Amino acid sequence: MCKEVKHKINPNIFFALAIVLGVCAGYVQEPLIFQTAETISQLFINLLKLVSLPIIFLSIVSTASGMESMHQIKVLGKKVAKYTLLTTIIAATIALILFVVIDPVRGQITVNAQETITQSSQPTYLKFFIQIIPSNVIQPFNENNVIGVLFLAMLLSFAIVSLPTQSRAVLHSFFSSIYAAIIVITRWVVALMPIAIWAFITLFMYDLKQGLDVKSLALYLTVVISANLIQAGCVLPLLLKLKKISPLFMIKGMLPALSIAFFTKSSAAALPMAMRCAEENVGISRKVASFTLPLCITINMNACAAFILTTVLFVSMSQGITYSFAEMGLWIILSTIAAIGNAGVPMGCYFLASAFLAAMNVPLHILGIILPFYSLIDMLESAINVWSDSCVAAVVNQEVKQEQISFDQTPIDLNSVII
């Protein structure tokens, strides 16, 4: 028991120590320290790029390949997909509106002037759309083309779902195993976070002395947090009210699960408690809860969509890239697809945002500055994702009751449906 408690406490101690040491190292103004910090930060960024694209591809394919074509699951699946897409698109839209209104890039936060991307060096958007469909399966991975990878993942997913059960099971096992291996590598990368945080804080202190505009960073954090709070406090309760469900009753019933998600920074870790609260405290049927909540944990990532959209726009625009309103609107779709593919990955939103930025050849130094704050953002996002999952489950349960859908008495085998 002591070992378990110690294991939970240690990461926070290391993070705090890394921040303190980073601040101290930044004030020392020793060139060798800065060179070391820059080397470590670049290595960590390379590791982010290494795992980002495989995570996007495998998370989507392994999730889709585990779906069954049974009629009852189709009925529930369509309802879950409908509200998942609706709430995730709304979350991304709110983030975009706040981004435009607050305008966090009003100051210049670019770390190094020579790294600023000029408009002339950006590819045309005609070329961007042409690159959506790659000429071969290796090309998007080789060129770090996130959109091409998303296209391949969706195309392969649709193909796998249409296969016979036996073939689908084999492919699900194959892609799930590879995905599990990538997750292990990702955990190793996450384990290096305290060292990376030290490096980024050290460089942040150096840039601060060189005149870095922290106001832009503060405004960025305001956009991310405000978008999440509006989604959790206004949009989701309104959805519940439209279905004649009390938001206050829901949040009281789901509070234990929300607390676990917040402090563990993992919606997957909160799943057992979420299912228990849904059944015992909120009154959601066992069949609906046992299907909807695990599926939502996999594909319903409202907060992730808001984070990806805001972060990609903020970092890229800080480096000189400009967007029209139509181009910003496109990021609502892209961030929604990416968020749906973010299936319980540690620091998943952060990795996905870095993948998009790397594909656009945007320097990731500002993303490194965001990293020390991401731990707090991740806590809020995890709780909001579980809250969204609970709301979707309650709404689906209400519709099932109203439509009087009859379900087979045989329990749904979740292991054959989702990861």
Side-chain angles (χ1 to χ4, degrees), residues 303-316:
C304 186
F307 176 84
I308 291 173
L309 183 142
T310 306
T311 302
V312 169
L313 292 182
F314 175 71
V315 175
S316 59

Side-chain angles (χ1 to χ4, degrees), residues 69-88:
S69 58
M70 296 182 298
H71 173 69
Q72 294 171 354
I73 294 179
K74 273 189 174 181
V75 172
L76 278 179
K78 286 179 181 178
K79 292 182 179 296
V80 174
K82 176 177 69 175
Y83 289 110
T84 292
L85 282 172
L86 176 64
T87 55
T88 307

